[in-house]
Amino acid sequence: MCIRDSLEPAIRWTRGHEDRLHELLHARFPFAMGVAISPEVRVREHMSTLIFFETIQIMTVQPGAQGNPFLPNMLKKITHLRELGYNGRIVLDGGISDITLPTGLNEKLWPDAICPGSYFSKQPDEMRTRMEVLYAQLISAEERDLESKTVHHV
């Protein structure tokens, strides 16, 4: 399910019981449910519904064709979700590449997973190299994060 500007169609489906959306979906489908939120969604306004989903996928591009530009301000939604008590899995999808990943790794909170789809699919013969580049960026960020948390005693 992808939530855009409003939950009106989903709420209509639940006959006005937005708070029961996850419960009704779970009753119909035998697997864990996640939700994708587009850039227009204000997390705080829909938190009473979002909190029940096992996974929230934050769209870091305007949904549509592959290749839409990365929207770095969407990274703040990770912090908003965590501050509002969301403990589930957070996934970033859209515009993830060797150019944009460092922006996300400079944030205080990281996603649980990323979906670098077009970064891999546009150059399938370079997939291994591209994975290694992303992995090196992650390792570098983890080392930097550890160094910043190290307490130096005199």
Side-chain angles (χ1 to χ4, degrees):
M1 168 185 285
C2 183
I3 297 176
R4 297 248 178 182
D5 293 318
S6 71
L7 286 172
E8 290 174 19
I11 293 169
R12 276 196 305 274
W13 180 72
T14 65
R15 295 186 174 87
H17 297 283
E18 179 179 352
D19 58 326
R20 295 190 56 223
L21 177 60
H22 180 264
E23 175 189 336
L24 292 168
L25 287 170
H26 197 62
R28 287 205 174 190
F29 300 99
F31 37 77
M33 283 290 176
V35 64
I37 55 176
S38 64
E40 299 84 12
V41 171
R42 291 187 174 95
V43 169
R44 188 174 302 278
E45 290 177 18
H46 299 293
M47 198 60 197
S48 63
T49 298
L50 296 174
I51 196 86
F52 294 106
F53 286 91
E54 289 87 351
T55 301
I56 296 177
Q57 178 174 300
I58 299 170
M59 297 303 299
T60 48
V61 297
Q62 276 299 338
Q66 280 190 343
N68 284 342
F70 181 74
L71 302 170
N73 55 333
M74 294 301 100
L75 298 170
K76 291 176 177 53
K77 290 186 181 195
I78 298 170
T79 302
H80 294 161
L81 286 164
R82 296 298 188 214
E83 287 175 348
L84 293 169
Y86 183 73
N87 293 316
R89 206 171 138 97
I90 297 176
V91 178
L92 295 183
D93 187 10
I96 306 295
S97 72
D98 59 329
I99 305 299
T100 60
L101 182 61
T103 303
L105 296 175
N106 282 328
E107 294 290 317
K108 180 180 173 186
L109 298 174
W110 295 353
D112 298 299
I114 59 172
C115 298
S118 63
Y119 176 70
F120 292 143
S121 65
K122 285 185 179 179
Q123 300 290 331
D125 54 323
E126 297 179 17
M127 185 177 290
R128 182 181 176 97
T129 302
R130 287 174 172 243
M131 279 194 273
E132 289 172 357
V133 168
L134 294 182
Y135 182 71
Q137 290 175 332
L138 174 62
I139 296 302
S140 176
E142 286 178 334
E143 289 171 353
R144 184 185 63 241
D145 193 43
L146 284 173
E147 286 176 14
S148 70
K149 292 178 182 174
T150 303
V151 178
H152 298 282
H153 298 283
V154 180

